Amino acid sequence: MNPYQHTTLTGEFDPLVAATALARAGLHDRHVVYERGPQWCYAGGALGELVLDAEGLRVRWGGEESVEPLGERPLAQVAAALGRLPISDWNVYGWAAFELSYLVRRRIEVPSGTPLLHLIVPRTEVRLRADRILVRAAEQASAERVREVVETARPEPDATPTPVPVDAYGAEMYQKAVAVAVDDIRRGELQKVIISRPVPIAGAVDIPATYLHGRRRNTPARSFLLDLGGWKAMGFSPETVVEVDATGAVSTQPLAGTRAHGLGAERDARLREQLLTDAKEIYEHAISVKLGHEELLTVCDEDSVAVSDFMSVKPRGSVQHLGSRVVGRLAPDRTAWDALEALFPAITASGIPKEPAYERIARLEPSPRGLYSGAVLTASSDGSMDAALVLRALYEKDGHAWLRAGAGIVADSVPARELEETREKLSSVAPHVIAAAPADRP
């Protein structure tokens, strides 16, 4: 079964503006916007829905719901459930919380009823490029509404942001947590752990306007804007957790090692040279690439796994990172969901080894991470998947909004420097936050 009607619009479009307009228009009760290269995708509404938590996998389709008890490999269950959907040529969009890793690895107990993975098969899917827009809609009326929105979308006036202060909140607690982690690392209990801190935002936020304003001033690998499963969020992802194409080619993109960026050409260049010669940063990066290589070996043909790019400098908004890419080809009996299981959560947002890093994160951080350092992802019936690491983002849940950032802690880490690194990363989003207009506030 394929319930979609297809429409193609041609002309000149600003995909960022049009995708943001679709998210703002209220066409659907849930949506995901996902930018990958020259294309933005808007997924709205839900023909079907899959929600994974500690108690099982809920699958909703056509007004009916089934619940499967949790098995030994939850992501394999998700893949099997998608394969049973009564639809051909499906695409799914959604998110995975960081704590999904606790469930997959069976290391730390996750509270029951806490969604860890939420996917939708959209009622309406729109793929936006500068010269054309492709619409797949289950109802013709939805296609017409999409046409109206994108053809009338105009750049919003550049609103005046209300910058979020990121210097002081939680600073002392964060440095103490870093010091504890350094002691654990020097005792040989692990090699690296990412410790993060949240920064609350006072007042209501216009999330689509913040996305539009901030995206114009950032250089992400991916970006996203979503309202799904109780979460509203937007972000400028610096790297991907996993990329898989329909032929089984797979890659991951670890970024580790950080300096500030956007301070002027001369200073940026000087900091770039520091980054490329700093022993602590190079070590942190190299061990991340090594683990990514080892993780791909578990799901790929051994001879296919290689480092295709090593220690390039990637500018990402307010920071620049050391970046590498590890590639491979999935073994014949493996899928994109196996690759996600092997690589999630990203090394660069968890630690090495991952299991003891989880324990430090749960103990030393002030609150569960949720979407922070999880993934926003899309996957398709042809076997492809693209999953962006959720960093440089703004989060809203239960009426509260916040930012969050972390730093990679190794034996040579200095708490004050790691705190400064969180400030540098927060500055990819904090200066661009747009307050909600009074009429839009709850």
Side-chain angles (χ1 to χ4, degrees):
M1 180 186 78
N2 192 327
Y4 294 114
Q5 302 175 54
H6 294 74
T7 304
T8 301
L9 310 176
T10 58
E12 294 183 3
F13 305 98
D14 183 328
L16 168 61
V17 170
T20 306
L22 287 169
R24 190 187 282 286
L27 302 182
H28 301 94
D29 61 350
R30 65 204 82 181
H31 63 258
V32 177
V33 170
Y34 191 80
E35 175 198 1
R36 180 185 183 186
Q39 179 171 272
W40 271 253
C41 292
Y42 167 86
L47 283 174
E49 199 162 22
L50 293 84
V51 180
L52 180 69
D53 61 26
E55 297 178 334
L57 174 64
R58 297 196 307 278
V59 181
R60 305 184 185 112
W61 189 273
E64 298 183 358
E65 179 176 308
S66 63
V67 181
E68 299 177 18
L70 200 64
E72 289 298 314
R73 296 187 60 209
L75 291 181
Q77 280 183 262
V78 171
L82 288 169
R84 294 192 296 268
L85 292 178
I87 181 175
S88 58
D89 193 25
W90 51 260
N91 299 311
V92 295
Y93 297 80
W95 51 259
F98 176 80
E99 286 78 16
L100 174 64
S101 57
Y102 299 169
L103 188 71
V104 169
R105 309 285 179 175
R106 310 286 179 155
R107 297 293 299 187
I108 295 174
E109 185 176 350
V110 179
S112 61
T114 301
L116 301 172
L117 177 76
H118 196 135
L119 303 173
I120 56 171
V121 180
R123 298 194 72 84
T124 300
E125 181 181 11
V126 186
R127 295 176 179 264
L128 306 105
R129 288 178 176 254
D131 61 345
R132 66 186 183 278
I133 294 176
L134 307 179
V135 184
R136 299 204 314 169
E139 299 89 10
Q140 185 59 35
S142 293
E144 290 303 318
R145 285 290 292 123
V146 167
R147 179 194 294 269
E148 292 172 9
V149 171
V150 300
E151 289 186 344
T152 60
R154 297 291 181 270
E156 298 181 9
D158 208 10
T160 301
T162 305
V164 176
V166 300
D167 286 344
Y169 187 86
E172 183 178 354
M173 183 183 300
Y174 183 78
Q175 291 185 86
K176 288 180 178 178
V178 170
V180 171
V182 169
D183 287 343
D184 288 350
I185 292 167
R186 290 176 177 174
R187 284 196 296 269
E189 296 176 9
L190 71 169
Q191 292 176 279
K192 174 182 174 180
V193 62
I194 285 72
I195 300 297
S196 72
R197 65 182 181 107
V199 175
I201 299 174
V205 177
D206 186 332
I207 296 178
T210 300
Y211 174 69
L212 190 62
H213 183 87
R215 176 59 188 88
R216 288 169 172 158
R217 294 158 176 82
N218 270 276
T219 51
R222 304 287 187 270
S223 75
F224 61 88
L225 170 65
L226 64 83
D227 183 348
L228 178 63
W231 286 92
K232 296 181 180 181
M234 58 111 265
F236 314 116
S237 174
E239 65 186 270
T240 54
V241 181
V242 63
E243 301 168 46
V244 184
D245 70 17
T247 72
V250 57
S251 72
T252 187
Q253 185 189 27
L255 269 64
T258 304
R259 285 293 186 274
H261 186 258
L263 304 176
E266 184 176 338
R267 190 171 178 192
D268 286 351
R270 187 166 65 251
L271 291 170
R272 181 182 186 275
E273 286 306 308
Q274 286 183 14
L275 185 58
L276 286 166
T277 56
D278 186 295
K280 179 262 182 188
E281 305 288 359
I282 293 170
Y283 169 77
E284 179 187 345
H285 185 81
I287 61 173
S288 299
V289 175
K290 179 176 182 291
L291 181 55
H293 190 278
E294 292 169 356
E295 289 177 336
L296 275 189
L297 283 172
T298 67
V299 293
C300 290
D301 290 328
E302 182 176 353
D303 293 343
S304 71
V305 179
V307 178
S308 65
D309 176 34
F310 183 64
M311 233 172 68
S312 298
V313 176
K314 308 292 184 183
R316 294 289 186 255
S318 62
V319 290
Q320 50 189 322
H321 296 289
L322 296 176
S324 295
R325 184 172 291 276
V326 188
V327 301
R329 181 162 296 279
L330 290 175
D333 60 341
R334 297 291 191 163
T335 72
W337 294 94
D338 295 318
L340 181 64
E341 179 182 302
L343 292 162
F344 186 86
I347 299 158
T348 51
S350 53
I352 303 171
K354 286 184 175 178
E355 284 76 8
Y358 299 156
E359 294 165 2
R360 271 69 184 181
I361 289 166
R363 175 163 53 89
L364 295 175
E365 294 191 351
S367 59
R369 289 184 167 188
L371 285 190
Y372 169 76
S373 68
V376 174
L377 62 97
T378 179
S380 302
S381 57
D382 64 6
S384 62
M385 175 183 287
D386 198 83
L389 175 58
V390 179
L391 300 176
R392 320 294 187 266
L394 182 152
Y395 314 88
E396 182 181 301
K397 196 172 191 293
D398 300 328
H400 300 282
W402 66 96
L403 309 176
R404 192 163 186 156
I409 313 306
V410 295
D412 291 336
S413 288
V414 176
R417 168 58 200 153
E418 305 302 345
L419 174 65
E420 181 60 26
E421 183 172 316
T422 68
R423 292 172 179 147
E424 293 166 354
K425 292 173 177 175
L426 288 163
S427 293
S428 288
V429 178
H432 311 305
V433 175
I434 309 295
D440 297 331
R441 295 174 185 173

